Amino acid sequence: MSTVPAVRVAMVAPPRGVVQAGVVPVRAEPNASAEQIDQALWGEVVTTLGERDDWLYVQGSDLYFGWIPSRSVGPYGGGESWIVAVPLAAVRSLPVRGSDVVDELPVGSPLESKAREGEWWRLRHDRYVRIDDTVDVATLPRRAPTQDDIVTTAESFLGVPYLWGGTSAHGIDCSGLTQQVYRLNGVGLDRDADQQALGGRPVDVAQPGDLFFFGETRVTHTAIATGATTFIHAPQAGKSVQRGELSVDRSRLRATRRYLP
């Protein structure tokens, strides 16, 4: 029989909310000029761990902590079956192709609240997204992702500009690219390259879908392998997601990891 005193354990249940804007910068401090360290995307569930003025200190699904405006978070009510199927879906003020674009939803964003109006979904606050820009999750292949799935998804980001802290087609950094490509295929990765380099398992020869990790003295960059010596990556500021050759960067290669069976 336990001898532990029967006292109530002190605990809390932090509130959860849903991001209600297309792409929300996650800041290092609670002000709009602070460094962007991540991005929260439409439909992402966040846990509120603190509050200051009009800002919330949250942890998102990518395990990052940071500050976002409280107005960008709505009540948590579960998910939906339809998601955005294009890199960025225009949110319009009216169900008319030429109407004003008031927001953009990144690929994979769930449509939490909607009603059908012809070829449009009507979202909250009378905003509209074309149904053709979305897909019913039930119609997606119900199977484990393959190497080809990872590469094909990565190819859809070619040409997206590099953005430090970016995780969407508005702009993306190297680990944001790898994280989002895997996320869209049902696999979760940590946010930073050095964190991702600890996951999966090491391999000597890359196959499509594996990740290369680069750096001088530590991991500072990652890329998605498309073959034993080729890859897709978000290289650096001023450039866009592009293809690369390992022969150029082999001296800086620190690890190759595999996440799929």
Side-chain angles (χ1 to χ4, degrees):
M1 184 175 181
S2 174
T3 59
V4 177
V7 297
R8 186 178 296 276
V9 176
M11 64 184 72
V12 298
R16 305 178 76 192
V18 179
V19 176
Q20 294 290 293
V23 177
V24 180
V26 178
R27 304 289 184 184
E29 300 293 339
N31 66 75
S33 61
E35 178 188 13
Q36 174 179 268
I37 56 174
D38 197 11
Q39 290 178 328
L41 308 182
W42 174 282
E44 182 178 349
V45 177
V46 296
T47 301
T48 300
L49 301 175
E51 188 172 358
R52 185 183 301 172
D53 298 327
D54 295 326
W55 293 80
L56 300 178
Y57 186 66
V58 301
Q59 182 179 34
S61 57
D62 60 2
L63 311 183
Y64 249 46
F65 299 90
W67 295 91
I68 63 176
S70 56
R71 66 178 181 275
S72 64
V73 180
Y76 176 67
E80 250 296 355
S81 60
W82 287 76
I83 62 174
V84 172
V86 295
L88 290 169
V91 181
R92 297 189 179 274
S93 59
L94 296 170
V96 179
R97 292 176 185 253
S99 60
D100 292 338
V101 176
V102 296
D103 204 348
E104 289 180 306
L105 306 185
V107 61
S109 298
L111 303 186
E112 185 185 59
S113 177
K114 66 185 187 321
R116 186 163 189 156
E117 290 190 13
E119 62 178 6
W120 300 85
W121 291 122
R122 176 167 56 83
L123 309 179
R124 291 178 178 176
H125 312 302
D126 292 332
R127 297 293 187 254
Y128 300 86
V129 171
R130 288 187 61 208
I131 292 176
D132 285 349
D133 288 343
T134 68
V135 64
D136 186 347
V137 173
T139 67
L140 297 177
R142 310 300 285 184
R143 56 170 174 76
T146 67
Q147 298 171 327
D148 288 343
D149 292 329
I150 299 297
V151 173
T152 299
T153 303
E155 289 173 340
S156 69
F157 284 86
L158 288 170
V160 171
Y162 180 93
L163 175 66
W164 174 261
T167 60
S168 75
H170 281 297
I172 203 162
D173 62 20
C174 67
S175 56
L177 173 66
T178 53
Q179 185 192 52
Q180 293 306 315
V181 167
Y182 269 84
R183 179 184 69 86
L184 293 170
N185 286 282
V187 182
L189 298 181
D190 285 319
R191 178 62 178 87
D192 288 343
D194 57 348
Q195 297 170 325
Q196 294 175 6
L198 301 176
R201 60 193 186 280
V203 293
D204 294 326
V205 180
Q207 294 181 4
D210 293 343
L211 296 189
F212 291 124
F213 294 94
F214 304 92
E216 297 293 344
T217 59
R218 62 184 180 86
V219 171
T220 58
H221 187 64
T222 183
I224 300 170
T226 57
T229 60
T230 57
F231 53 79
I232 293 173
H233 69 148
Q236 63 190 56
K239 296 189 177 182
S240 301
V241 176
Q242 59 189 248
R243 299 182 187 274
E245 291 279 349
L246 188 59
S247 57
V248 177
D249 293 282
R250 189 179 293 275
S251 64
R252 298 177 61 247
L253 180 65
R254 300 187 63 83
T256 305
R257 310 287 291 191
R258 182 167 299 154
Y259 304 88
L260 299 183

